Amino acid sequence: MLREIAEMLQFEFMQRALIAGVIVGFICPLIGIFLVVRRLSLIAEALSHVSLSGVATGLFLQKEWGWLVGIHPVYVGMLFSVIGSLFVEKMRKLYHSYQELALPILLSGGMGIGVVLISAAGGFNADVAGYLFGSIVAVKEEQLTTVAMIGIMVSLFVFVFYKQLFSLSFDEENAILTGIPHRVVNLVFIVMVGLVISSAIQVVGILLVSSLITLPVAVSLQIANSFRQAIIYAIIFAEIAVLIGFFAAYSLNLASGGAIVLVSVLIWLMVVMFKRIRLIFNRKGFRRE
Amino acid sequence: MSQPAIRLEDVSFAYEKEKVLEDISLTVDRGEFLGIIGPNGSGKSTLVKLILHLLKPQKGKIEVFGESIEFLKDRSVIGYVSQKANTFQRGFPATVREVVASGLYGKLGLFRWMRKQDWEKVDQAIEQVGLTSLAHRNMGKLSGGQQQRAFIARALVSDPQLLILDEPTVGVDAKSQEQLYELLTHLHQQKQLTLLLVTHDIYSILSVVDRMACLNKRLLFYGTIDEFAKHDQEILSQLFGEGHGTLSITLSKGQKQLV
């Protein structure tokens, strides 16, 4: 097993893939926890579909104008995702009492544009499948640098704005009252969400990206007592999923994105079952007394 | 001369065309405990939101500690416990200590972390409301009354001079309600805190407040409990409509009691 891992890590593309996976496994739950507790976890889903329309636009432009080949479709996806995130913030204000309404609009809009442009760009091929389901081993050095930069930016943002993010998530009205600059923090936050999603797309793909953002948090909410714990547990679970999924995909020749998400689901199942069993045992204990 | 804690002058407010508050003028002195009562939809919560500057009046002036509310620099002079506090998400992963600490975050500003003395303040506020033994407990695992206390601690932690509570007893059992009023009386006396308590539950606040304001779009009564007792039937029927039941109040020396 260890020899297999060592052998695999001799390849440079595997090293890059692993580093990208670990970074994404760190920032996804770090941002995801705030999305989940604010009941905005669907934002991840919506923005990933907007990224799809961006990636499709990139592919389409490449086909129509050959000189655009230098611009990787992932970057166009990133641009779309950030613009989409600004749109979410705008919509949140427009539909004050139906804040989640922005999400299905974005989701279907993004998907629609994506599908139309993909077919115009030559239909569904292996490239497109890579964007949809992730192809971690295809991460180029330049992309890894981008992912790393986004990783540093997002981590710094959460570190510096932790107090403000916590207040806004727990009780937005009170946060505003106590003088927290909510507009700025919300805006920067949502842009960070856009960036995290576009960087995670390379690891798990557009269709699976929101799972890496929400699943580890879903597990951590089952057992965390404090907010700090919730963040730390979510990161630990995400990293476990990334590492196990990654190595399993290599040794069993599976799709890496799918494997990572499946491990996340397994962890979630195990924790929920463990909680259930503990509850039953506790009850039995009471009866005996 | 010290400025009053709150001064409202001819304040009117309407949501689109629906008038909610008309020509409200009142003054709350420093260190006073004012109860605002009124039926549902009487504009009580709107009045609070105006004082907190969450809404802007169409007409009139609002001052807090002598400063116009629009230009109030130090927001931390006002502590606020909202009605919504009862309905927060029970699954939110946060301990009492984390929630109370968030009351300081606005005051601390962007680039300052919680220091040792800040955490001491948090622990003091938790002690004041009697939750020390539950400080590290998850908020969702507390009872309604305990949660309400935690929210009071969050409002107290930034050392406000004015504490505003909007229907704090909704969804709280009778015993916790009693304890809550005890706590408020204690804070009022010990810390000379100016208190503004909004409620539709007239019966329980008579014994704790200094003055009363009865609100139903307009200010129907504003005065001391003694003055209220003289005209209570009249005011209550204006406030809640005829046949509000018989409420009689007897006042003995310094003791306000409900019979």
Side-chain angles (χ1 to χ4, degrees):
Chain A
M1 174 80 181
L2 276 177
R3 245 181 64 197
E4 206 177 338
I5 292 172
E7 179 194 67
M8 157 186 141
L9 286 178
Q10 277 172 356
F11 302 110
E12 222 171 279
F13 69 92
M14 276 310 213
Q15 291 171 9
R16 276 202 300 268
L18 185 65
I19 296 169
V22 168
I23 294 173
V24 167
F26 184 79
I27 56 177
C28 276
L30 188 64
I31 277 290
I33 180 107
F34 295 104
L35 283 176
V36 171
V37 296
R38 294 181 87 169
R39 308 200 166 206
L40 292 171
S41 47
L42 269 175
I43 277 188
E45 195 71 48
L47 287 182
S48 64
H49 285 73
V50 173
S51 286
L52 172 70
S53 65
V55 168
T57 308
L59 287 171
F60 177 75
L61 291 178
Q62 272 187 1
K63 191 191 166 225
E64 293 297 304
W65 294 292
W67 53 272
L68 273 170
V69 171
I71 300 174
H72 201 284
V74 164
Y75 294 125
V76 186
M78 198 172 279
L79 184 73
F80 272 53
S81 167
V82 169
I83 293 170
S85 67
L86 296 176
F87 180 73
V88 170
E89 196 51 25
K90 194 99 198 133
M91 288 285 283
R92 234 162 65 84
K93 282 180 203 134
L94 196 63
Y95 291 100
H96 196 69
S97 38
Y98 300 101
Q99 297 193 348
E100 74 280 10
L101 197 54
L103 307 177
I105 296 175
L106 269 181
L107 199 146
S108 37
M111 195 73 186
I113 297 173
V115 171
V116 167
L117 287 178
I118 285 171
S119 56
F124 290 84
N125 52 30
D127 254 8
V128 175
Y131 295 119
L132 285 178
F133 305 111
S135 54
I136 192 169
V137 288
V139 174
K140 302 270 181 319
E141 195 155 338
E142 185 199 339
Q143 286 165 277
L144 180 62
T145 317
T146 315
V147 170
M149 265 160 42
I150 290 175
I152 291 169
M153 234 156 70
V154 170
S155 311
L156 265 180
F157 168 72
V158 174
F159 184 73
V160 172
F161 288 89
Y162 175 80
K163 299 193 305 279
Q164 286 73 21
L165 287 169
F166 175 85
S167 283
L168 283 168
S169 309
F170 185 74
D171 184 345
E172 191 155 4
E173 185 184 67
N174 197 72
I176 295 169
L177 271 178
T178 51
I180 282 175
H182 60 284
R183 286 204 188 86
V184 180
V185 178
N186 277 339
L187 190 73
V188 181
F189 172 72
I190 205 81
V191 171
M192 292 294 154
V193 173
L195 287 175
V196 167
I197 286 168
S198 49
S199 59
I201 278 175
Q202 294 169 56
V203 177
V204 283
I206 285 159
L207 294 177
L208 298 173
V209 68
S210 73
S211 59
L212 203 53
I213 289 180
T214 52
L215 264 174
V217 179
V219 185
S220 123
L221 287 186
Q222 288 287 323
I223 51 173
N225 192 45
S226 68
F227 199 70
R228 257 161 217 272
Q229 271 177 9
I231 294 180
I232 294 168
Y233 291 161
I235 291 172
I236 292 174
F237 289 132
E239 294 293 9
I240 292 175
V242 166
L243 293 177
I244 295 181
F246 184 69
F247 291 124
Y250 176 79
S251 50
L252 304 172
N253 202 17
L254 307 168
S256 56
I260 290 170
V261 173
L262 275 182
V263 176
S264 298
V265 175
L266 273 178
I267 294 176
W268 179 79
L269 263 177
M270 270 158 57
V271 169
V272 170
M273 266 158 55
F274 175 74
K275 263 190 86 175
R276 263 286 142 86
I277 291 167
R278 211 178 52 177
L279 199 74
I280 293 167
F281 267 96
N282 281 350
R283 275 196 200 137
K284 275 192 181 157
F286 273 121
R287 257 178 231 147
R288 231 174 277 143
E289 279 163 22
Chain B
M1 241 272 319
S2 74
Q3 303 277 359
I6 306 174
R7 207 166 73 85
L8 273 78
E9 211 182 287
D10 286 329
V11 171
S12 296
F13 181 84
Y15 288 106
E16 293 179 7
K17 276 181 191 157
E18 197 196 335
K19 279 186 184 167
V20 184
L21 291 170
E22 276 179 76
D23 303 322
I24 309 286
S25 295
L26 59 84
T27 308
V28 184
D29 290 328
R30 277 176 201 242
E32 188 182 327
F33 191 161
L34 176 74
I36 299 183
I37 60 160
N40 288 330
S42 58
K44 296 176 304 228
S45 295
T46 306
L47 186 69
V48 167
K49 285 190 172 136
L50 287 168
I51 296 171
L52 293 167
H53 201 50
L54 286 171
L55 295 172
K56 281 179 198 156
Q58 273 94 15
K59 211 186 96 198
K61 261 201 316 208
I62 300 171
E63 283 176 8
V64 173
F65 296 111
E67 274 183 85
S68 171
I69 187 71
E70 287 160 62
F71 306 111
L72 187 69
K73 274 172 239 110
D74 185 7
R75 296 258 145 209
S76 64
V77 294
I78 310 176
Y80 173 53
V81 180
S82 80
Q83 206 172 348
K84 255 193 348 204
N86 301 300
T87 55
F88 90 106
Q89 299 176 42
R90 282 204 161 245
F92 197 101
T95 60
V96 172
R97 216 160 169 255
E98 283 178 314
V99 170
V100 174
S102 73
L104 277 176
Y105 291 168
K107 203 176 183 179
L108 285 179
L110 275 189
F111 297 103
R112 230 199 83 194
W113 278 92
M114 290 284 286
R115 294 185 196 149
K116 206 178 150 216
Q117 63 258 41
D118 297 321
W119 283 114
E120 277 164 12
K121 266 190 189 168
V122 171
D123 291 331
Q124 269 169 24
I126 293 174
E127 199 190 323
Q128 265 176 9
V129 299
L131 286 180
T132 303
S133 61
L134 301 172
H136 294 280
R137 188 74 68 86
N138 184 288
M139 273 295 276
K141 298 201 174 105
L142 265 53
S143 73
Q146 289 165 338
Q147 281 171 1
Q148 198 54 272
R149 281 162 175 267
F151 286 116
I152 293 174
R154 178 180 70 175
L156 288 175
V157 71
S158 62
D159 269 327
Q161 295 167 47
L162 165 67
L163 184 63
I164 301 177
L165 302 106
D166 190 359
E167 301 268 12
T169 54
V170 171
V172 173
D173 64 85
K175 190 165 172 266
S176 310
Q177 242 179 66
E178 208 174 290
Q179 287 174 341
L180 189 77
Y181 288 128
E182 262 169 44
L183 170 68
L184 293 179
T185 314
H186 178 78
L187 290 171
H188 174 52
Q189 285 162 357
Q190 292 284 307
K191 302 187 80 183
Q192 261 88 54
L193 201 63
T194 311
L195 280 167
L196 197 131
L197 174 65
V198 175
T199 180
H200 63 273
D201 178 17
I202 175 169
Y203 303 98
S204 47
I205 65 162
L206 284 171
S207 57
V208 291
V209 298
D210 300 325
R211 280 207 278 186
M212 285 249 279
C214 302
L215 195 72
N216 199 354
K217 290 193 182 172
R218 291 172 168 277
L219 197 60
L220 297 175
F221 171 81
Y222 177 49
T224 62
I225 295 295
D226 296 291
E227 285 161 4
F228 178 77
K230 281 180 203 150
H231 308 283
D232 59 325
Q233 291 301 329
E234 208 183 309
I235 299 163
L236 287 173
S237 63
Q238 266 189 50
L239 206 57
F240 295 97
E242 294 290 339
H244 174 261
T246 49
L247 172 78
S248 67
I249 304 158
T250 53
L251 296 168
S252 56
K253 251 187 240 159
Q255 227 189 2
K256 299 159 209 166
Q257 204 185 358
L258 204 68
V259 182

